[in-house]
Amino acid sequence: MSNIEIIKGAFDTQLELKDASVVAGFPSPADDYSHETLDFNRDYIRHPEATFYGKITGLSMKDAGLLPGDRVIIDRAVEPHDGSIVVAWWDGGFTTKFLDLTHRKDGYIELRPANDDFPVFKVTDPENFEIWGTVIHMIRTFEKV
């Protein structure tokens, strides 16, 4: 059932990188004077105490671009909405799916995969279910170094 591995991150270390623009043409002389930086913590982590990483381990969200080995940043302090990608605790394990709230008035919600080979989960028992966090960002590694 589980298609995500939850990993606690350490967000107290500053990671600052010089902005590396990708130029499609000739480089600009102004690039030598660029001072913009990317600070992972400042730019991507809003609630450090409520933020976790997840490692995607299955194919149920492949059509949303989440592939095995991808890392996601999960913020438990962000309130999900209809259509959010969430990490949910359901039926004894974690799963990553789209949250579908369109059936609330009928007494249930759905967790929808982004792969037609996987079933839609109809959640009717709130005792066996928790939206654990909202997926905010995805990180993909293209080459192992």
Side-chain angles (χ1 to χ4, degrees), residues 2-27:
S2 179
N3 69 343
I4 188 166
E5 175 187 334
I6 305 298
I7 305 160
K8 178 63 180 158
F11 302 108
D12 55 352
T13 304
Q14 290 292 321
L15 172 65
E16 196 165 314
L17 303 173
K18 185 172 181 332
D19 180 34
S21 301
V22 177
V23 179
F26 294 103

Side-chain angles (χ1 to χ4, degrees), residues 70-82:
D70 288 347
R71 303 283 176 150
V72 291
I73 300 173
I74 306 155
D75 192 330
R76 297 191 73 193
V78 171
E79 187 72 29
H81 56 81
D82 185 53

Side-chain angles (χ1 to χ4, degrees), residues 90 107-111 121-126 128-129:
W90 187 71
Y108 67 95
I109 64 171
E110 292 181 338
L111 297 174
F121 298 142
K122 183 177 178 179
V123 180
T124 57
D125 180 11
N128 192 26
F129 172 75

Side-chain angles (χ1 to χ4, degrees), residues 3-9 11 40 44-45 51-57 61 64-75 85-87 95-97 132-141:
N3 69 343
I4 188 166
E5 175 187 334
I6 305 298
I7 305 160
K8 178 63 180 158
F11 302 108
F40 190 85
Y44 295 101
I45 308 300
T51 299
F52 293 78
Y53 292 110
K55 181 178 179 185
I56 301 297
T57 59
M61 294 299 286
L66 296 178
L67 303 175
D70 288 347
R71 303 283 176 150
V72 291
I73 300 173
I74 306 155
D75 192 330
I85 297 175
V86 297
V87 174
T95 188
T96 305
K97 301 286 184 281
W132 195 80
T134 304
V135 174
I136 304 301
H137 300 286
M138 187 268 297
I139 303 166
R140 175 168 294 146
T141 300

Side-chain angles (χ1 to χ4, degrees), residues 83-118:
S84 290
I85 297 175
V86 297
V87 174
W89 178 261
W90 187 71
D91 200 26
F94 286 110
T95 188
T96 305
K97 301 286 184 281
F98 284 112
L99 179 63
D100 181 346
L101 300 175
T102 59
H103 303 283
R104 261 188 170 163
K105 65 182 183 320
D106 301 319
Y108 67 95
I109 64 171
E110 292 181 338
L111 297 174
R112 298 189 154 278
N115 181 340
D116 291 338
D117 294 335
F118 288 79

